[in-house]
Amino acid sequence: MSRIAIRSFADIRAALLAREELALLDVREEAPFAEGHPLFAANIPLSRLEIEVYARVPRRSVPVTVYDDGEGLAERAAERLLALGYRDVALLEGGLAGWRAAGGELFIDVNVPSKAFGELVEAERHTPSLAAEEVKALLDAKADVVVLDARRFDEYQTMSIPGGISVPGAELVLRVRELAPNPQTRVIVNCAGRTRSIIGTQSLVNAGIPNAVAALRNGTIGWTLADQQLEQGQSRRFPEVSAENRALAAQSARVVADRAGVGRASLADLARWREEAGRTTYLFDVRTPEEYEAGHLPGARSTPGGQLVQETDHFASVRGARLVLVDDDGVRANMSASWLAQMGWEVHVLDGLGAAEFAERGGWSAPVPPAPQSEDIAPETLQDWLAEGDTLVLDFTTSANYVKRHIPGAWWALRAQLPQALEKLPPAQRYVVTCGSSLLARYAVDELQALTGKPAFVLAGGTVAWIAAGLPLEEGESALAVPGSDRYRRPYEGTDNPREAMQAYLDWEFGLVEQLGRDGTHGFFVI
């Protein structure tokens, strides 16, 4: 008899409708998750549970419900969560099949709450948009037009609209007056598909800029389907903002936030909320990563605002939690918060901060539990062992990273599928585990030793240390011990997607508003 409690579809639905806190965790890999899941399920694969869950589900007493689709992962995940200190852990009754059988709606793809909300915004506000052919005609005619790309900079560099400038979503209201100082200049906002261009365009409309604004309908997918050429490897970025334009942007952003019902908070409020035993409070710094690293509020996580709105389920995996946003200009936090409030979150913006509060420097590190005791070896030692034979390297990085570069002879595996992986591996007298930094790999040592009866070691510093030592590398899918299901291939990423997949993705997005209506738990509204 399992010691894990059971929670039903009806329990989850009632909690969502009552806006109670809950974490509904799908512990499968991302590819099967993307094939179907409840609207507010958060994907934290069993393979990566230790290195993700403390940041994404920070309060140990929050009700956590885990499920799979019959793979036997959920019970393992529940036991692991209890060992990590979570006190209210349950299995979803019947797993994914039970959800479906109880009448629960299933959604495909990833970041679905945000994408569905974007479609609802366009449906209710009739967000202006132009087809790819219309935008290309404007560019070819050298019309007074500026194209602003609302995606992450790395996505923009992969492919972009000719002449487009990288202005990630939360930066648009802050930066647009510098990029289009003439009110007659037409502003086009694009992303890869639809959501970020809709939200970005509507942000500029809501903020009341005088320029005509339109989304590039269907983004770079629409551009490609119209047989138009994209640029690659571009580096055009937004400029600095004048004091006058910053003040204008802050004023308009505050008005929008107030209309959406965004709360105001002080540092004293934040300190009090963080001590509450019965509520989850997330603290997000929504500025650029570079600004965050130069100085931020202690305890804040770097989550650029456009991506926070786009991937809310990834950063705030407890539905019903309290979100607190911070910036140093009163624009990006207010605009991001205005959208999160409309997505049904209790969200507040920190006011009254001075430069002295942004005292902590450097990047953000996820909180992780202590790893099991293990013996580390240097890259040079591993090189010697590999030359001698009888040593096998297991790489637990993402499949994409492995394909890009890995230690010669290393086998790629998913930690949650280690028993299946070992069935495919040649025999070895000892094992060495790695990933990018060996952070994740450390958690696999005990299980690997138990399954094989052989000693297992950790590559100190991971594959990054191997590379830093100037040692040789391989690339490609040279040794996959299990299928690469850790990554769902997004039809809007990269430059080599089949046209059918791109069109199917757009068709799916068009149907999201209807799915929201059938699900009935979203709590969204549109100002």
Side-chain angles (χ1 to χ4, degrees), residues 494-509:
T495 55
D496 58 347
N497 293 303
R499 295 175 68 91
E500 297 77 13
M502 291 191 282
Q503 186 60 57
Y505 177 78
L506 294 176
D507 294 342
W508 164 74
E509 284 200 296

Side-chain angles (χ1 to χ4, degrees), residues 24 26 28 30-43 56 67 96 99 105-121 194-196 198-199 307-317 319 340 342-343 345 488 490-492 505 507-524:
L24 178 59
D26 187 318
R28 300 174 295 164
E30 188 184 74
F33 169 78
E35 292 173 6
H37 57 268
L39 177 62
F40 288 114
N43 182 214
R56 295 178 59 180
Y67 73 88
L96 190 66
W99 183 274
E105 188 75 12
L106 293 182
F107 292 77
I108 63 169
D109 205 77
V110 292
N111 308 129
V112 176
S114 302
K115 292 174 181 178
F117 173 71
E119 295 300 320
L120 185 66
V121 169
R194 294 175 52 78
T195 312
R196 285 173 287 185
I198 292 169
I199 297 297
Q307 288 308 113
L308 177 58
V309 173
Q310 171 78 2
E311 304 176 34
T312 316
D313 58 312
H314 183 80
F315 296 111
S317 298
R319 182 65 178 169
L340 293 165
Q342 293 172 74
M343 290 166 70
W345 292 93
Y488 158 63
R490 291 143 173 80
Y492 46 86
Y505 177 78
D507 294 342
W508 164 74
E509 284 200 296
F510 297 144
L512 278 171
V513 173
E514 190 179 326
Q515 260 203 292
L516 280 181
R518 291 199 301 269
D519 179 79
T521 64
H522 59 82
F524 299 159

Side-chain angles (χ1 to χ4, degrees), residues 28-29 62 71 79 114 237 253 284 350 363 418 424 454:
R28 300 174 295 164
E29 300 298 327
V62 74
E71 300 89 346
E79 293 284 2
S114 302
R237 301 186 83 166
F284 295 129
L350 274 182
L418 190 53
K424 190 170 179 180
K454 304 292 184 183

Side-chain angles (χ1 to χ4, degrees), residues 272-289:
R272 189 175 70 255
W273 290 336
R274 283 173 143 176
E275 294 299 315
E276 285 183 357
R279 284 301 308 275
T280 300
T281 297
Y282 294 95
L283 177 60
F284 295 129
D285 186 321
V286 295
R287 301 171 300 156
T288 65

